[in-house]
Amino acid sequence: MPKQQANWSPYDNNGGSCVAVSGADYCVIAADTRMSTGYNILTRDYSKICKLADKCVMASSGFQADVKALQKHLAARHLVPLKIQIYQHQHNKQMSCPAMAQLLSNTLYYKRFFPYYSFNVLGGLDNEGKGCVFTYDAVGSYEKVGYSSQGSGSTLIMPFLDNQLKSPSPLLLPVQDAVTPLAEAEAVDLVKTVFASASERDIYTGDKLEIVVINADGIRREHMDLRKD
Amino acid sequence: MFRNQYDTDVTTWSPAGRLFQVEYAMEAVKQGSAAIGLRSKTHIILGCVNKANSELSSHQKKIFKVDDHIGVAIAGLTADGRVLSRYMRNECINYSFTYESPLPVGRLVVQLADKAQVCTQRSWKRPNGVGLLVAGLDESGAHLYYNCPSGNYFEYQAFAIGSRSQAAKTYLERRFENFADSSRDDLVKDALMAIRETLQGETLKSSTCTVAVVGAGEPFHILDQETVQQMIDAFEIVGEQEGSAAAAGQEAAQPGAAVADQGGSTDEGVAPMDI
């Protein structure tokens, strides 16, 4: 008898795309709200975005059950050190984004040999109020970047973001100015454009776009409709 | 209470059916600086007197946030209290994680009480030397519980523990019938007045007391010094009149006299080093 292969997988991919873009004093995090499995849609209204701390938000695509479990773990772990040193944190406000970034990385690596099937982007403000974006792989390797995208649409989205946001190499001649940093409103527009385009060609991205903007005034949410096909 | 031949072990009964070590643990609570709690239908206030070892040191932390909806004030061995707070926080986090809803206060105090009971029935343990005033808001309303080192717990409308708490209790007994419908601010004022009773003549300043609030739409938090000082200043003037009008003897008159001396200045005095 030929060798039988396992035909049950503990993982599934629920599709969707996430994007984060940071600026001098703001950060925009966005994700679509479509949850699918195979060629079917499970729901058109599922949020992939989770608030981890005062000025720190995470968007995750991949297997949403793992994403949910990861979010719960972070919420609890975030609380445990927070509460043990509650007095310290009361004065220093909540965990900063870079600290949360390291926590997320460690949490992911904890499950190195049975990973969370979760592709994350973390966005927020650092201690000085500057926008920051951290991008991850499934086992916790991370990097601070100016912008990032993850998920089924990222192959379509990333090249476009590179075209618009990536600074030209300082080694190239003639010397080019670095791309002028975007204003908050421009960044939000860019994100909307990016998702509208991704929805055209990626079948797993669409329905509605959820945008979260973090700046010195706090956190604000926006919604935009996307193609439903 | 005097030493006797039945008080060496917590696992030794006296012929009168008493566990002396447990009773000695309750004495430890009475030695700690005062903590008070009171509640209405929608809010619970915790207050405590700050005690510092010396003018150079900061005061001990006696009020802890356990979760957004639960807080605790302790009196007695603060080290024991700190450890118990950590246990309470863990329990709240674990319950939240599993059930995605806040831990009901009644359950938490039972768990605490059971934990305390264990220490009264093991020869290698000792009872906790700390009394806990647990304030929490859950689906069934606002609650204030007192957890004893003995493993007993009681629910209260208002209570005070620690040294000179009897003065506060007398004040609260006079006023508690009004608490259920009191506004949040009135409750805080009553808490400050109760704390003042325990100070027995010392001036009430925001540096000598800590006040915390939890209520409907208001997660547990400790009020900052400025807010507390403002509230003290606001009612000190009224308090002066109340003090002289009250029937009680020395106790009431003394705070009134002390206030007159202060002349309503917002001078914080020689405050112990603040964190």
Side-chain angles (χ1 to χ4, degrees), chain A residues 78-112:
Chain A
H78 160 55
L79 287 172
V80 170
L82 183 81
K83 282 168 188 281
I84 285 175
Q85 297 134 29
I86 189 88
Y87 200 79
Q88 222 178 50
H89 282 275
Q90 257 181 0
H91 286 254
N92 298 344
K93 303 290 165 168
Q94 297 198 334
M95 263 176 111
S96 69
C97 202
M100 191 57 85
Q102 185 66 52
L103 177 64
L104 174 55
S105 172
N106 291 344
T107 310
L108 288 168
Y109 197 80
Y110 225 67
K111 295 237 307 151
R112 170 68 177 80

Side-chain angles (χ1 to χ4, degrees), chain B:
Chain B
M1 240 182 282
F2 297 109
R3 281 230 64 190
N4 52 69
Q5 53 185 214
Y6 308 109
D7 69 354
T8 312
D9 257 314
V10 72
T11 49
T12 306
W13 286 99
S14 82
R18 294 160 70 169
L19 288 170
F20 281 104
Q21 280 296 309
V22 176
E23 296 184 22
Y24 294 168
M26 318 244 277
E27 278 300 308
V29 177
K30 294 186 203 159
Q31 301 301 327
S33 54
I36 60 119
L38 37 88
R39 70 170 164 107
S40 69
K41 281 202 207 95
T42 53
H43 287 80
I44 313 105
I45 315 286
L46 290 175
C48 71
V49 170
N50 294 342
K51 190 169 70 166
N53 280 338
S54 72
E55 277 185 13
L56 294 171
S57 76
S58 58
H59 60 80
Q60 288 204 309
K61 224 166 114 64
K62 283 160 55 76
I63 298 190
F64 299 90
K65 175 169 173 170
V66 167
D67 202 346
D68 285 333
H69 66 299
I70 301 183
V72 63
I74 63 175
L77 265 53
T78 41
D80 284 358
R82 209 177 53 236
V83 165
L84 285 177
S85 309
R86 201 181 319 155
Y87 167 76
M88 291 164 84
R89 285 168 183 164
N90 253 320
E91 291 301 302
C92 283
I93 289 174
N94 289 338
Y95 187 94
S96 271
F97 184 91
T98 313
Y99 299 102
E100 299 233 350
S101 74
L103 175 57
V105 194
R107 293 220 195 172
L108 180 60
V109 291
V110 177
Q111 281 173 267
L112 262 178
D114 288 345
K115 211 165 133 73
Q117 190 279 340
V118 168
C119 301
T120 66
Q121 215 173 11
R122 307 277 183 272
S123 59
W124 61 91
K125 288 189 182 231
R126 64 159 176 83
N128 288 310
V130 66
L132 301 134
L133 280 173
V134 182
L137 190 75
D138 60 23
E139 276 184 352
S140 55
H143 299 280
L144 175 68
Y145 289 93
Y146 170 53
N147 276 70
C148 249
S150 61
N152 277 327
Y153 67 97
F154 310 92
E155 181 157 13
Y156 285 96
Q157 187 75 40
F159 200 48
I161 55 177
S163 69
R164 298 192 287 227
S165 58
Q166 188 49 55
K169 269 189 264 189
T170 316
Y171 174 85
L172 293 169
E173 273 166 32
R174 266 186 285 141
R175 302 282 305 245
F176 81 95
E177 263 142 8
N178 303 325
F179 288 165
D181 297 310
S182 276
S183 74
R184 173 202 183 274
D185 288 337
D186 281 338
L187 269 186
V188 177
K189 267 190 227 143
D190 275 316
L192 287 166
M193 302 261 221
I195 296 174
R196 192 171 64 177
E197 298 293 317
T198 68
L199 291 174
Q200 306 269 22
E202 245 180 81
T203 23
L204 179 64
K205 293 188 286 241
S206 61
S207 52
T208 52
C209 68
T210 309
V211 179
V213 187
V214 60
E218 198 179 344
F220 184 90
H221 65 285
I222 297 179
L223 298 180
D224 62 285
Q225 282 217 324
E226 272 173 35
T227 319
V228 175
Q229 189 60 48
Q230 275 170 11
M231 301 204 91
I232 295 176
D233 293 336
F235 77 73
E236 290 261 83
I237 307 161
V238 179
E240 214 179 77
Q241 297 160 353
E242 238 186 66
S244 39
Q250 263 195 336
E251 254 179 43
Q254 268 188 0
V259 165
D261 286 343
Q262 276 288 45
S265 70
T266 49
D267 159 44
E268 308 256 312
V270 188
M273 185 179 84
D274 245 302
I275 296 178

